[in-house]
Amino acid sequence: GNDLATTADQMTNIMQGFRMESGDSTRAADVLTAAFTNSNTDLSELAEAMSYAGPVLSGFGIKFEEAAAAVGLLGNAGIKSSRAGTALSAALVRLAVPAGENAKLMKQLGINIFGTDGKMLSLVEIVEQLKDSGASTADMMKLFGQRAGPAMVALVDQGSEALQKMTDKLNESGGKAKEIADVQMK
């Protein structure tokens, strides 16, 4: 429903944040279309969230589809646009570089977000760890703070299974943008 110039700008900004090449534009369009047609968000909200989260998530090795799935699930919980993007990036930074009490709390809860290869685990694995740790809402707020805490509580409440299911949908979204465009043209 957006004009072409706005949509193109949003797409290229998202792709830049995830270090995607111009040859990835069809994949990006399909993934984003599938994300907003399967969640309570739209392209503008996804674009704004990704402008905050994309470079950080990409830098930590989080895949584009999984990041879009997380933003979609946050949209389902009413956490959208800049709030979603800020929360996701802040949460991963707080987990990757825990300070003081957070480091102690992570150790106490048994949370380790890095694999044996030194790379950050996937968001699905992180959400699963948080759920399995038995972290209370108070623990989550201590770990993630006022900005990221509510978003991480919402992701954990929806569960790693929901995040994996949405990620799988987005991984299998080839042709989705054309499908939607064809329907709209009718």
Side-chain angles (χ1 to χ4, degrees):
N2 292 342
D3 65 80
L4 183 58
T6 300
T7 301
D9 184 51
Q10 291 170 336
M11 288 285 296
T12 56
N13 291 344
I14 292 167
M15 291 173 63
Q16 183 70 30
F18 276 90
R19 302 180 187 119
M20 298 168 81
E21 302 293 326
S22 59
D24 294 320
S25 60
T26 300
R27 171 181 156 225
D30 288 336
V31 168
L32 294 169
T33 301
F36 71 72
T37 58
N38 285 287
S39 67
N40 183 19
T41 190
D42 62 29
L43 180 59
S44 294
E45 292 165 338
L46 279 170
E48 188 168 346
M50 293 297 210
S51 74
Y52 288 85
V56 174
L57 272 62
S58 176
F60 281 131
I62 302 299
K63 304 286 187 232
F64 175 62
E65 290 80 358
E66 190 176 42
V71 171
L73 290 182
L74 288 176
N76 290 347
I79 301 168
K80 301 178 181 189
S81 299
S82 62
R83 286 180 58 221
T86 299
L88 280 175
S89 61
L92 289 188
V93 168
R94 288 179 78 126
L95 287 173
V97 190
E101 293 299 314
N102 273 4
K104 290 177 189 174
L105 183 55
M106 284 177 64
K107 186 172 183 171
Q108 179 185 359
L109 293 170
I111 297 169
N112 179 14
I113 64 158
F114 293 100
T116 55
D117 59 1
K119 293 181 181 177
M120 185 175 279
L121 300 175
S122 71
L123 287 175
V124 169
E125 292 168 313
I126 292 169
V127 169
E128 186 173 4
Q129 258 193 54
L130 288 166
K131 180 77 167 186
D132 291 347
S133 75
S136 67
T137 299
D139 291 334
M140 299 283 277
M141 294 306 291
K142 284 179 195 171
L143 277 176
F144 300 112
Q146 294 295 320
R147 257 183 222 274
M152 293 308 290
V153 168
L155 275 181
V156 170
D157 282 351
Q158 291 178 73
S160 60
E161 301 84 11
L163 182 55
Q164 184 64 61
K165 185 177 177 180
M166 177 69 99
T167 301
D168 291 344
K169 276 185 185 180
L170 301 187
N171 280 326
E172 299 164 2
S173 64
K176 188 67 171 178
K178 182 178 180 343
E179 176 188 326
I180 297 299
D182 288 347
V183 169
Q184 287 182 335
M185 292 305 291
K186 289 181 184 176

